Amino acid sequence: MKLSLPTLGTLDGFRVGVTAARKAAEQIRQFERLGARVVWAPALSVSPSFVDENLLKSATEEVLQSPLDFFIATTGIGMTTWFEKADLWGLGDQLTAAIRASEIMARGPKSLAALRRRGIREDWSPQEESVRAVVDHLLLRDVKGTRVVLQEHGESLAVVARGIEAQGARVLSVPIYRLAPAENPDPLLKLIAAVADRRIDALTFTSAPAVGAFMEMSASVGNRDVIIEALRRDVVAVCVGKIAADAFGTWEVPVVIPQRPRLAEMVKAATAALISPEKHFSNGAMMHLDGM
């Protein structure tokens, strides 16, 4: 679906809930420029992600115990943080060499850039920037008996790891950082109530952990079923990319995502869906919009 560029006032009368913790101001400005009324309620902490250095160092030492067959990089900030910490521990060169000696798969441009800054070239990366696509590519071959290292991206990838292990591989998941919940839950609770009451027209997410935090908070106040029904029928769920959108899969919520995982493209896709809600809610689980 391709529409003309949205103009000032396009979203007059619409209410948009923004759940991003980082770069929220830019997103809010774009929606307000189009006339929308924005409710900001971060689902995650706006403070830096927490790195458990003892856990990361232990995982790094385990990675270096024996050669790797496959290495999966999922985020730029995660890989950059890992290399920085490894350098401080005197393990940076060993980690770089171990990764370089394996078959390397990277989820997207940011993880690719982090690897290349260390002089590491990837063997494969998907166009859609999806962990699922990377795993699907990996499992095209026989991985039985191989050693796979999976860099996690702010939330556990235990389900992904189990899927690879089911094919006979040994998987070591490396948690670089963890995303904490919002320091003040009150704005998120108010946003959840507004969604339940259909006082919000669209809800945006820029990460899978934010989706998880929103749904967990909804469950904690007994509103999850109401929220799911609202998102299926009346409130447009908009995600910046497929990874965040996949987090809604458990609840069969229709999700709008842009063709390219960029903030401006997400705003345009949200605008298109709000203008034509009947097209959004009649298109099943996921609707791609390629800008306007």
Side-chain angles (χ1 to χ4, degrees):
M1 178 179 180
K2 190 169 185 177
L3 304 176
S4 60
L5 186 69
T7 57
L8 292 174
T10 300
L11 295 181
D12 282 348
F14 286 101
R15 298 149 298 181
V16 177
V18 171
T19 65
R22 299 175 61 249
K23 298 184 179 179
E26 179 182 352
Q27 185 183 161
I28 291 169
R29 281 196 300 271
Q30 291 189 40
F31 277 117
E32 289 182 337
R33 178 184 176 275
L34 297 173
R37 178 185 174 188
V38 179
V39 177
W40 179 45
L44 299 168
S45 173
V46 296
S47 61
S49 303
F50 173 72
V51 179
D52 186 330
E53 294 200 18
N54 291 330
L55 180 62
L56 180 56
K57 185 177 181 182
S58 177
T60 303
E61 291 169 343
E62 187 175 354
V63 167
L64 299 176
Q65 286 179 1
S66 58
L68 312 180
D69 295 294
F70 300 100
F71 182 85
I72 300 176
T74 60
T75 64
I77 188 173
M79 289 307 307
T80 298
T81 299
W82 192 4
F83 286 132
E84 289 175 350
K85 297 298 182 183
D87 286 339
L88 290 175
W89 302 324
L91 300 174
D93 290 344
Q94 292 174 263
L95 179 61
T96 300
I99 294 173
R100 188 182 288 131
S102 68
E103 183 172 336
I104 301 161
M105 303 174 191
R107 178 176 66 88
K110 293 180 181 179
S111 53
L112 289 176
L115 291 171
R116 291 177 182 179
R117 283 194 293 269
R118 299 290 293 203
I120 300 172
R121 300 291 298 190
E122 78 287 352
D123 293 286
W124 188 82
S125 181
Q127 291 185 339
E128 60 268 40
E129 302 182 30
S130 162
V131 173
R132 178 183 294 177
V134 174
V135 173
D136 287 346
H137 178 79
L138 171 65
L139 296 182
L140 287 175
R141 76 280 313 276
D142 181 7
V143 297
K144 186 175 182 179
T146 63
R147 191 165 185 250
V148 180
V149 168
L150 174 64
Q151 176 245 323
E152 295 189 341
H153 56 73
E155 64 175 345
S156 173
L157 291 177
V159 173
V160 174
R162 285 198 294 271
I164 301 172
E165 289 172 340
Q167 301 304 311
R170 292 170 293 149
V171 180
L172 173 59
S173 297
V174 180
I176 312 299
Y177 57 88
R178 284 288 180 258
L179 300 174
E183 290 85 351
N184 179 8
D186 290 344
L188 188 60
L189 289 170
K190 291 178 181 178
L191 178 59
I192 289 169
V195 172
D197 293 341
R198 276 62 167 182
R199 289 182 281 115
I200 294 292
D201 299 296
L203 197 58
T204 69
F205 296 90
T206 55
S207 72
V211 174
F214 179 85
M215 297 305 290
E216 286 178 15
M217 183 68 78
S218 300
S220 72
V221 294
N223 254 356
R224 189 165 66 184
D225 289 345
V226 177
I227 292 297
I228 292 170
E229 186 67 14
L231 293 172
R232 286 176 177 172
R233 295 182 178 275
D234 304 297
V235 181
V236 180
V238 187
C239 291
V240 73
K242 194 171 183 298
I243 292 177
D246 284 346
F248 273 117
T250 302
W251 300 288
E252 298 181 350
V253 168
V255 181
V256 167
I257 61 173
Q259 290 287 353
R260 296 187 302 161
R262 300 292 182 269
L263 185 59
E265 297 302 312
M266 181 185 72
V267 173
K268 293 177 184 178
T271 302
L274 285 170
I275 292 171
S276 303
E278 69 285 350
K279 294 181 180 179
H280 164 61
F281 288 110
S282 65
N283 265 270
M286 195 170 296
M287 177 182 179
H288 288 267
L289 296 177
D290 57 354
M292 292 186 283

Coordinates of all heavy atoms in Angstrom, one line a residue, residues 37-72:
R37 N -2.8 13.8 18.9 CA -2.6 14.0 20.3 C -1.8 12.8 20.8 O -2.3 11.6 20.6 CB -3.9 14.1 21.0 CG -3.7 14.3 22.5 CD -5.1 14.3 23.2 NE -4.9 14.3 24.7 CZ -5.9 14.2 25.5 NH1 -7.2 14.0 25.1 NH2 -5.7 14.2 26.8
V38 N -0.7 13.0 21.4 CA 0.2 11.9 21.8 C 0.2 11.7 23.3 O 0.3 12.6 24.1 CB 1.7 12.1 21.3 CG1 2.6 11.0 21.7 CG2 1.7 12.3 19.8
V39 N 0.1 10.4 23.7 CA 0.3 10.0 25.1 C 1.5 9.2 25.2 O 1.7 8.1 24.5 CB -0.9 9.2 25.6 CG1 -0.7 8.7 27.0 CG2 -2.2 9.9 25.4
W40 N 2.5 9.7 25.9 CA 3.8 9.0 26.1 C 3.8 8.2 27.4 O 3.6 8.8 28.5 CB 5.0 10.0 26.0 CG 6.3 9.3 26.2 CD1 6.7 8.1 25.6 CD2 7.4 9.7 27.1 NE1 8.0 7.8 26.0 CE2 8.4 8.7 26.9 CE3 7.5 10.7 28.0 CZ2 9.6 8.8 27.6 CZ3 8.8 10.8 28.6 CH2 9.8 9.9 28.5
A41 N 4.1 6.9 27.3 CA 4.2 6.0 28.5 C 5.2 5.0 28.2 O 5.0 4.0 27.6 CB 2.8 5.4 28.7
P42 N 6.5 5.3 28.6 CA 7.5 4.3 28.3 C 7.3 3.0 29.0 O 7.0 2.9 30.2 CB 8.8 5.0 28.9 CG 8.3 6.0 29.9 CD 7.0 6.4 29.3
A43 N 7.4 1.9 28.2 CA 7.2 0.6 28.7 C 8.5 0.0 29.4 O 8.4 -0.9 30.2 CB 6.8 -0.4 27.6
L44 N 9.6 0.6 29.0 CA 10.9 0.2 29.6 C 11.6 1.4 30.2 O 11.3 2.5 30.0 CB 11.8 -0.4 28.5 CG 11.2 -1.7 27.8 CD1 12.0 -2.0 26.6 CD2 11.2 -2.9 28.8
S45 N 12.7 1.1 30.9 CA 13.5 2.2 31.6 C 14.2 3.1 30.5 O 14.6 2.6 29.5 CB 14.5 1.6 32.5 OG 15.4 2.5 33.0
V46 N 14.2 4.4 30.8 CA 14.9 5.3 29.9 C 16.4 5.4 30.3 O 17.2 6.0 29.6 CB 14.3 6.7 30.0 CG1 12.9 6.7 29.5 CG2 14.4 7.3 31.4
S47 N 16.8 4.7 31.4 CA 18.2 4.7 31.8 C 18.9 3.6 31.0 O 18.3 2.8 30.4 CB 18.3 4.4 33.3 OG 17.8 3.1 33.6
P48 N 20.3 3.7 31.0 CA 21.0 2.7 30.2 C 20.7 1.3 30.6 O 20.4 1.0 31.7 CB 22.5 3.1 30.5 CG 22.5 4.5 30.9 CD 21.1 4.7 31.6
S49 N 20.8 0.4 29.6 CA 20.6 -1.0 29.9 C 21.6 -1.6 30.9 O 22.7 -1.2 31.0 CB 20.6 -1.8 28.6 OG 19.8 -1.3 27.6
F50 N 21.1 -2.5 31.7 CA 21.9 -3.1 32.7 C 22.8 -4.2 32.2 O 22.3 -5.1 31.5 CB 21.1 -3.6 33.9 CG 21.8 -4.4 34.9 CD1 22.7 -3.7 35.8 CD2 21.7 -5.8 35.0 CE1 23.4 -4.5 36.7 CE2 22.4 -6.5 35.9 CZ 23.3 -5.8 36.8
V51 N 24.1 -4.1 32.5 CA 25.1 -5.2 32.0 C 25.6 -5.9 33.3 O 26.2 -5.2 34.2 CB 26.2 -4.6 31.3 CG1 27.2 -5.7 30.9 CG2 25.8 -3.8 30.0
D52 N 25.3 -7.1 33.4 CA 25.9 -7.9 34.5 C 27.3 -8.4 34.1 O 27.4 -9.4 33.4 CB 24.9 -9.1 34.8 CG 25.4 -9.9 36.0 OD1 26.6 -10.0 36.3 OD2 24.5 -10.5 36.6
E53 N 28.3 -7.7 34.5 CA 29.6 -7.9 34.0 C 30.1 -9.3 34.5 O 30.9 -9.9 33.7 CB 30.6 -6.8 34.5 CG 30.2 -5.4 33.9 CD 31.4 -4.5 34.0 OE1 32.6 -4.9 34.2 OE2 31.2 -3.3 33.9
N54 N 29.8 -9.7 35.6 CA 30.3 -11.1 36.1 C 29.7 -12.1 35.2 O 30.4 -13.1 34.7 CB 29.9 -11.3 37.5 CG 30.6 -10.4 38.5 OD1 31.8 -10.0 38.2 ND2 30.0 -10.1 39.6
L55 N 28.4 -12.0 34.9 CA 27.7 -13.0 34.0 C 28.3 -12.9 32.6 O 28.6 -14.0 32.0 CB 26.2 -12.7 34.0 CG 25.4 -13.7 33.1 CD1 25.5 -15.1 33.6 CD2 23.9 -13.2 33.1
L56 N 28.5 -11.7 32.1 CA 29.1 -11.6 30.7 C 30.5 -12.1 30.6 O 30.9 -12.8 29.7 CB 29.0 -10.1 30.3 CG 29.5 -9.8 28.9 CD1 28.8 -10.6 27.8 CD2 29.4 -8.3 28.6
K57 N 31.3 -11.8 31.6 CA 32.7 -12.3 31.6 C 32.7 -13.8 31.6 O 33.5 -14.5 30.9 CB 33.5 -11.8 32.8 CG 35.0 -12.1 32.7 CD 35.7 -11.5 33.9 CE 37.2 -11.9 33.8 NZ 38.0 -11.3 34.9
S58 N 31.9 -14.4 32.5 CA 31.8 -15.9 32.6 C 31.4 -16.5 31.2 O 32.0 -17.5 30.8 CB 30.8 -16.3 33.7 OG 30.7 -17.7 33.7
A59 N 30.4 -15.9 30.6 CA 29.9 -16.4 29.3 C 31.0 -16.2 28.2 O 31.2 -17.1 27.4 CB 28.7 -15.6 28.9
T60 N 31.8 -15.1 28.3 CA 32.9 -14.9 27.3 C 33.9 -15.9 27.5 O 34.4 -16.5 26.5 CB 33.5 -13.5 27.6 OG1 32.5 -12.5 27.4 CG2 34.6 -13.2 26.5
E61 N 34.3 -16.3 28.7 CA 35.3 -17.3 29.0 C 34.8 -18.6 28.5 O 35.6 -19.4 27.9 CB 35.6 -17.3 30.5 CG 36.4 -16.1 30.9 CD 36.5 -16.0 32.4 OE1 35.7 -16.7 33.1 OE2 37.3 -15.2 33.0
E62 N 33.5 -18.9 28.6 CA 33.0 -20.2 28.1 C 33.0 -20.2 26.6 O 33.3 -21.3 26.0 CB 31.5 -20.4 28.6 CG 31.0 -21.7 28.3 CD 29.6 -21.9 28.9 OE1 29.1 -21.1 29.6 OE2 29.0 -23.0 28.5
V63 N 32.7 -19.1 25.9 CA 32.8 -19.0 24.5 C 34.2 -19.4 24.0 O 34.4 -20.1 23.0 CB 32.4 -17.6 24.0 CG1 32.8 -17.4 22.5 CG2 31.0 -17.3 24.2
L64 N 35.2 -18.9 24.7 CA 36.6 -19.1 24.3 C 37.2 -20.5 24.7 O 38.3 -20.8 24.3 CB 37.5 -18.0 25.0 CG 37.1 -16.6 24.6 CD1 38.0 -15.6 25.3 CD2 37.3 -16.4 23.1
Q65 N 36.4 -21.3 25.3 CA 36.9 -22.6 25.7 C 37.2 -23.6 24.6 O 38.1 -24.4 24.6 CB 35.9 -23.3 26.7 CG 36.0 -22.7 28.1 CD 35.0 -23.3 29.0 OE1 34.3 -24.3 28.6 NE2 34.9 -22.8 30.2
S66 N 36.4 -23.5 23.5 CA 36.6 -24.3 22.3 C 36.1 -23.6 21.1 O 35.4 -22.6 21.1 CB 35.9 -25.7 22.5 OG 34.5 -25.4 22.7
P67 N 36.6 -24.1 19.9 CA 36.2 -23.4 18.6 C 34.7 -23.3 18.4 O 34.0 -24.2 18.8 CB 36.9 -24.2 17.6 CG 38.0 -24.9 18.3 CD 37.5 -25.2 19.7
L68 N 34.3 -22.2 17.7 CA 32.9 -22.0 17.4 C 32.6 -22.5 16.0 O 33.5 -22.3 15.1 CB 32.5 -20.6 17.5 CG 32.9 -19.8 18.8 CD1 32.4 -18.4 18.7 CD2 32.3 -20.5 20.0
D69 N 31.5 -23.0 15.7 CA 31.1 -23.4 14.3 C 30.3 -22.2 13.7 O 30.5 -21.8 12.6 CB 30.3 -24.7 14.3 CG 31.1 -25.9 14.8 OD1 32.1 -26.2 14.0 OD2 30.8 -26.4 15.8
F70 N 29.3 -21.7 14.5 CA 28.5 -20.6 14.1 C 28.4 -19.5 15.1 O 28.3 -19.8 16.3 CB 27.1 -21.1 13.7 CG 27.0 -22.2 12.7 CD1 26.9 -23.6 13.1 CD2 27.1 -21.9 11.3 CE1 26.9 -24.5 12.1 CE2 27.1 -22.9 10.4 CZ 27.0 -24.2 10.8
F71 N 28.3 -18.3 14.6 CA 28.1 -17.1 15.6 C 27.0 -16.3 15.0 O 27.0 -15.9 13.8 CB 29.4 -16.3 15.6 CG 29.3 -15.2 16.6 CD1 29.5 -15.3 18.0 CD2 28.9 -13.9 16.2 CE1 29.4 -14.3 18.8 CE2 28.7 -12.8 17.0 CZ 29.0 -13.0 18.4
I72 N 26.0 -16.0 15.9 CA 24.9 -15.1 15.5 C 24.9 -13.8 16.3 O 24.8 -13.8 17.5 CB 23.6 -15.9 15.8 CG1 23.5 -17.2 15.0 CG2 22.4 -15.0 15.4 CD1 22.3 -18.0 15.2

